[in-house]
Amino acid sequence: MASMLYGHLPQVIGVIGAGQMGSGIAQICATKGLDVLINDRSQDLLDKSMQSIRKSLQRLMQKGSLSKSTADEALGRIRTETSLEVSWRTVSSSTEGAAAAATVA
């Protein structure tokens, strides 16, 4: 049964939103061997997301829950992009990690 499931996994997971939820989704997917593309409209938010993921992986390594090679491989699987148009050309599955805005600018 598991072999049937793994044959249908998407090649690239797209995550909309670089906040706490989006970063967590991206980290989990990347540590499980999936390529991830995080999209947000702000490069600053994307940079903060990657910093947060690095810190989280570092904590997992310090606890002995994750090897350095697995953490390095996970970081290598994560890309960031500010353009939705560019982002979704290569994504085979996506999820939203963005909070709904009360107002639209």
Side-chain angles (χ1 to χ4, degrees), residues 29-65:
C29 291
T31 56
K32 297 302 179 186
L34 299 169
D35 291 328
V36 180
L37 178 62
I38 307 173
N39 176 272
D40 206 294
R41 50 187 174 177
S42 165
Q43 186 60 49
D44 185 50
L45 291 174
L46 291 168
D47 294 342
K48 288 178 182 177
S49 175
M50 290 303 297
Q51 181 180 12
S52 172
I53 292 169
R54 282 187 195 94
K55 284 182 182 179
S56 178
L57 292 174
Q58 183 67 36
R59 283 192 299 271
L60 290 170
M61 287 188 305
Q62 289 172 345
K63 290 165 78 174
S65 301

